[in-house]
Amino acid sequence: MVSQGQKIIDGYSNEVDKIINDLPLVMFGDHTRNVKLIDFPFVIGADGTKFFKPILSNARFIYYIVLYIASKLRNRGYARHYTLLKDEIFPLPPLAEQKRIVEKIEQLFKEIDKLKK
């Protein structure tokens, strides 16, 4: 199960008919502003989750864009944040450029992890 909490997986379900397989998806927690890239079959674990299916775009690129935007949204406490998110405008470069951007971001994250150690 996937919900808007901080963990990627929040539980398990035997409800096979509720499994979502149309992947990958980007999840936005309406109350929490948490963002997840979901690339495995799952069941929605709670309300307050918004899912985006990237079309003609790199899912990881969309994930990083939404992650960035979510981090900049005004914190409204437990109030809903999707209304703020959906009003944001972000660039959508050509697919090859999206891939290069994702590769660079992930390379930098690896360097940051090395420096932390």
Side-chain angles (χ1 to χ4, degrees):
M1 291 181 7
V2 170
S3 69
Q4 60 181 316
Q6 290 185 345
K7 297 178 188 175
I8 293 289
I9 298 174
D10 292 311
Y12 298 90
S13 174
N14 292 326
E15 298 181 74
V16 179
D17 58 319
K18 293 186 177 182
I19 294 175
I20 297 174
N21 288 300
D22 187 15
L23 305 168
L25 296 172
V26 175
M27 189 272 330
F28 174 74
D30 203 6
H31 296 294
T32 63
R33 295 176 295 151
N34 287 329
V35 180
K36 302 176 187 178
L37 177 63
I38 309 299
D39 59 359
F40 54 86
F42 71 100
V43 172
I44 297 174
D47 71 333
T49 52
K50 302 291 186 184
F51 291 91
F52 308 102
K53 174 67 177 163
I55 299 171
L56 300 175
S57 58
N58 183 300
R60 293 184 101 60
F61 178 80
I62 300 300
Y63 165 73
Y64 288 125
I65 288 285
V66 174
L67 187 65
Y68 173 75
I69 292 170
S71 74
K72 301 296 181 192
L73 292 178
R74 180 173 45 93
N75 186 347
R76 300 172 66 188
Y78 195 69
R80 304 249 179 200
H81 293 86
Y82 181 69
T83 55
L84 301 174
L85 179 71
K86 73 177 187 169
D87 289 338
E88 291 292 323
I89 296 172
F90 62 88
L92 191 58
L95 203 48
E97 186 64 18
Q98 291 176 41
K99 183 179 178 198
R100 284 191 289 277
I101 292 169
V102 167
E103 288 169 355
K104 186 64 173 181
I105 290 170
E106 293 178 348
Q107 174 192 2
L108 291 171
F109 280 152
K110 286 178 186 176
E111 291 296 319
I112 290 169
D113 288 342
K114 284 182 191 177
L115 291 171
K116 284 181 181 178
K117 291 178 183 177

